[in-house]
Amino acid sequence: MPSIRILSDTLISQIAAGEVVERPASVLKELIENSLDAGATEVGVSLAEGGVKQVRVTDDGRGIAEDDLPLALARHATSKIATLADLEEVGSLGFRGEALASIASVARVSVTSRTRDAQHAWTLRAEGGPAGAAQPAAHAPGTTVQVEDLYFNTPARRKFLKSEATEFAHCEDAFERAALSRPGVGFTLRHGARVVRNYRASDLARRCEAVLGAEFFAGAREIGEAIAGLRLSGYAGSPAYTRGSRDAQYFFVNGRFVRDKLLAHALREAYRDVLHGDRHPAFVLYLDIDPRAVDVNVHPAKTEVRFRDSRAIHQFVFHATAKALAGTAAQAPVPSFAPAPGAAAREAAYAAPRLQGTLGIAQAPAAYGAMFAEAREAPLPPGSAATPQEPYAGGTAVPPLGFALAQLHGVYILAQNARGLVLVDMHAAHERIVYEKLKSSLDARSMPTQKLLIPTTFNAGGLDVATVGEHAETLALLGFDIAAISPAALAVRAVPAMLAGGDLPALARSVLVELREYGASRVLAERRDELLAGMACHGAVRANRALTLHEMNALLREMEETERAGQCNHGRPTWYQMSLADLDKLFMRGR
């Protein structure tokens, strides 16, 4: 028996389906693209059981003639290209002629179509193999493709599909990308008997607002730049409108949604000076380019492209976006250094006069006794790394980071130790403390949890709601109790106790993004540190939060007990020592 054999057409199609048909959303994307290539002005989508049971797409496009219908489900049969020259300047969304054939090899498919000059429609059916003969049917001009029981004949692949809610959320994403790609086309999405989305044909501005929401559109910066055969248009989200993930980033090249590292880097650079931290911008951008200058035949999914002059494209996208954002950055108000909330109350409690117009640390000597009495009399924490040093006034040993003097601009803690002055970045320091505690608690599988008296609710997308349902056990392990209260809202009912004072909606969203993108096993293993670092950042004390002297001293003591407390989770220093000698040099003392 020969060891090399020719595979059957059915097996070849099923192998190809692995590249094209990842999940119901992949099916939906291919069917909608066919409708748009057919010149549809209205596209209707109907899903059952998240698209696993059924995906049906109906359009009012040109339709398929009776003689061409048998070729619709054949491999490498297409009306969109005929020669190599056509391939080098593809203007349609589809062109490979393999999507429908791949889908038909792993599902039950029917295609019903009618051209405008035909007396009636024709329908063709296939169930995991070659199609049967075309039969007369009733249908308005246009085409309906119905895909049922995805992977019914390949159960091993079907097991990789997620819950109905998750699969529907992915379908909804694919639907919204298509709706943004063609604002002039009407789109309707039904799930079961419910109409989920209904976008009427409109202009780009109205479509962007309808899909991304009024909050995005209110601060978005319009882009409209053209040079040497290139045009970039659309909307770049305001730096104030940021996201915890990249779920609101849409880039289209000649009307095709793409994920491209070159374009992503250009946009990150454009936002670099106005967006900081781990937040992500939102945008809907359209690049129009000569089809001969871009290769879309990179992958069967057709979401990757290659540019002939990648550097020129990068610079054009970068400069066009940066120009639109420049006004936002230039007009940004200078940060205010008003006293932190509660500062006036503390001043009254100290009963000490302050110099008007100073930084808020000049206090009368008589106030020091009251300020530090509690901190000086408290014993050092058990196991502390502190060792007796030079005695502080009153005979008490001073711990390594000393005792707090005051808070500067709600950002820094000023403390005095035996060597001189200690400057502490309170957020960075607390972030490291929380991070190390989270690691210890998770490793011991004993995360302290605090139930909220009043649950915190927030709006959420379909993917977030689905993620909560799929990963409830992992969320509980991390100390969270999150529940869906509607198809578009979540309630946080419990959180890790040490994070209870943080921004709970932002904290919950960041954790859900990690679970959705990497899965529970990777999040708890190789992504553990990144996840916990993000949680710690959300739970750490924020700038401009007024701390009492007791709270400041407590933070200093915890720093002394925490490993690697000299750097925050991002590698930045958490504190800086200025010796008396350093201070003497600043004021030229002893000269």
Side-chain angles (χ1 to χ4, degrees):
M1 180 177 180
S3 58
I4 300 177
R5 61 184 62 84
I6 297 176
L7 300 178
S8 67
D9 287 342
T10 299
L11 185 55
I12 291 172
S13 294
Q14 290 179 341
I15 293 172
E19 293 183 307
V20 179
V21 189
E22 179 185 0
R23 60 191 338 139
S26 309
V27 174
L28 180 59
K29 168 188 174 293
E30 298 293 343
L31 299 188
I32 292 180
E33 287 183 352
N34 284 344
S35 295
L36 296 177
D37 282 341
T41 60
E42 292 289 337
V43 176
V45 175
S46 179
L47 305 174
E49 296 182 12
V52 178
K53 180 65 178 177
Q54 183 186 90
V55 177
R56 185 172 70 243
V57 176
T58 300
D59 65 60
D60 61 352
R62 289 185 294 272
I64 305 172
E66 176 189 356
D67 294 339
D68 290 336
L69 193 59
L71 294 175
L73 300 180
R75 295 184 67 243
H76 305 309
T78 179
S79 62
K80 298 162 187 177
I81 62 171
T83 66
L84 179 60
D86 295 337
L87 183 61
E88 292 177 346
E89 51 181 343
V90 172
S92 57
L93 297 174
F95 57 88
R96 299 173 65 98
E98 61 182 358
L100 277 178
S102 297
I103 295 169
S105 70
V106 292
R108 297 183 172 94
V109 177
S110 68
V111 181
T112 305
S113 190
R114 175 185 172 186
T115 58
R116 298 194 181 281
D117 58 354
Q119 294 183 350
H120 58 79
W122 292 87
T123 188
L124 194 68
R125 290 182 172 82
E127 293 194 9
Q135 301 292 329
H139 194 281
T143 302
T144 293
V145 180
Q146 185 165 299
V147 178
E148 296 180 303
D149 300 328
L150 185 62
Y151 293 130
F152 78 97
N153 56 350
T154 52
R157 291 291 303 274
R158 192 180 180 96
K159 290 179 181 178
F160 283 94
L161 297 179
K162 303 298 183 181
S163 66
E164 176 181 330
T166 296
E167 296 302 339
F168 171 73
H170 283 286
C171 287
E172 190 175 28
D173 278 353
F175 176 85
E176 291 184 339
R177 289 196 293 268
L180 285 170
S181 74
R182 297 291 191 279
V185 176
F187 288 85
T188 304
L189 173 63
R190 291 180 173 83
H191 189 207
R194 184 169 62 96
V195 176
V196 180
R197 295 283 185 271
N198 185 14
Y199 301 132
R200 296 183 179 181
S202 62
D203 57 23
L204 177 58
R206 290 190 178 88
R207 180 58 57 85
C208 286
E209 183 176 8
V211 176
L212 275 83
E215 185 180 358
F216 163 82
F217 193 73
R221 303 294 183 262
E222 186 173 6
I223 296 179
E225 295 289 329
I227 185 174
L230 299 174
R231 175 174 173 77
L232 185 69
S233 57
Y235 294 91
S238 163
Y241 182 85
T242 60
R243 313 277 289 191
S245 65
R246 299 180 179 88
D247 59 346
Q249 297 182 350
Y250 301 91
F251 204 107
F252 301 89
V253 175
N254 292 344
R256 180 192 309 279
F257 174 79
V258 301
R259 293 187 178 93
D260 183 78
K261 293 180 180 179
L262 174 85
L263 298 174
H265 183 269
L267 289 164
R268 282 199 306 271
E269 288 297 298
Y271 273 93
R272 182 166 56 89
D273 289 337
V274 294
L275 190 67
H276 303 283
D278 59 354
R279 304 295 293 174
H280 300 281
F283 50 78
V284 183
L285 296 173
Y286 303 80
L287 178 65
D288 295 312
I289 183 175
D290 186 338
R292 292 170 295 183
V294 58
D295 182 7
V296 298
N297 187 30
V298 177
H299 188 273
K302 303 187 293 294
T303 57
E304 300 177 21
V305 295
R306 290 196 187 101
F307 298 102
R308 290 189 177 179
D309 191 347
S310 58
R311 179 174 177 79
I313 299 299
H314 181 282
Q315 290 301 300
F316 173 66
V317 172
F318 165 70
H319 286 294
T321 307
K323 178 181 176 181
L325 297 172
T328 305
Q331 297 166 10
V334 177
S336 171
F337 294 114
R346 288 203 310 279
E347 289 183 17
Y350 295 157
R354 296 191 181 211
L355 299 178
Q356 186 173 4
T358 67
L359 294 177
I361 60 172
Q363 296 158 326
Y368 281 86
M371 288 172 60
F372 296 117
E374 179 181 2
R376 287 204 310 270
E377 293 170 3
L380 293 177
S384 170
T387 56
Q389 300 182 36
E390 296 179 25
Y392 184 72
T396 304
V398 181
L401 295 180
F403 298 109
L405 298 172
Q407 197 175 10
L408 178 64
H409 290 320
V411 177
Y412 300 101
I413 293 173
L414 308 185
Q416 175 181 312
N417 67 355
R419 293 186 58 199
L421 180 67
V422 176
L423 305 175
V424 178
D425 181 333
M426 67 182 196
H427 173 76
H430 193 225
E431 188 176 348
R432 168 60 72 177
I433 292 168
V434 173
Y435 175 51
E436 295 294 336
K437 287 184 177 180
L438 287 172
K439 284 199 298 184
S440 299
S441 297
L442 183 59
D443 290 345
R445 295 297 192 267
S446 60
M447 185 72 71
T449 300
Q450 179 172 320
K451 292 186 177 181
L452 303 180
L453 183 62
I454 301 177
T456 298
T457 62
F458 61 96
N459 294 330
L463 284 175
D464 282 340
V465 174
T467 302
V468 167
E470 284 193 25
H471 297 287
E473 183 176 347
T474 303
L475 287 169
L477 186 64
L478 293 169
F480 291 90
D481 181 1
I482 305 175
I485 56 175
S486 79
L490 293 172
V492 181
R493 300 187 296 201
V495 295
M498 61 193 82
L499 307 180
D503 183 345
L504 301 188
L507 172 62
R509 287 191 178 101
S510 68
V511 173
L512 293 177
V513 167
E514 284 281 326
L515 288 172
R516 182 167 67 247
E517 292 187 357
Y518 298 101
S521 59
R522 289 188 63 190
V523 161
L524 295 177
E526 63 192 82
R527 295 282 306 175
R528 184 203 69 161
D529 290 350
E530 288 82 357
L531 171 71
L532 298 182
M535 291 170 59
C537 186
H538 284 293
V541 292
R542 296 296 181 185
N544 295 320
R545 174 180 167 183
L547 299 181
T548 66
L549 285 170
H550 180 75
E551 289 173 330
M552 287 187 271
N553 280 310
L555 180 61
L556 297 177
R557 302 293 78 81
E558 288 203 75
M559 289 177 65
E560 292 162 352
E561 293 185 56
T562 302
E563 293 182 349
R564 296 176 291 277
Q567 291 79 36
C568 76
N569 307 343
H570 313 290
R572 297 190 299 268
T574 59
W575 64 282
Y576 185 80
Q577 174 80 60
M578 293 188 72
S579 68
L580 287 173
D582 295 330
L583 295 170
D584 288 343
K585 289 178 182 179
L586 289 175
F587 294 97
M588 303 176 67
R589 290 176 60 89
R591 293 189 182 182

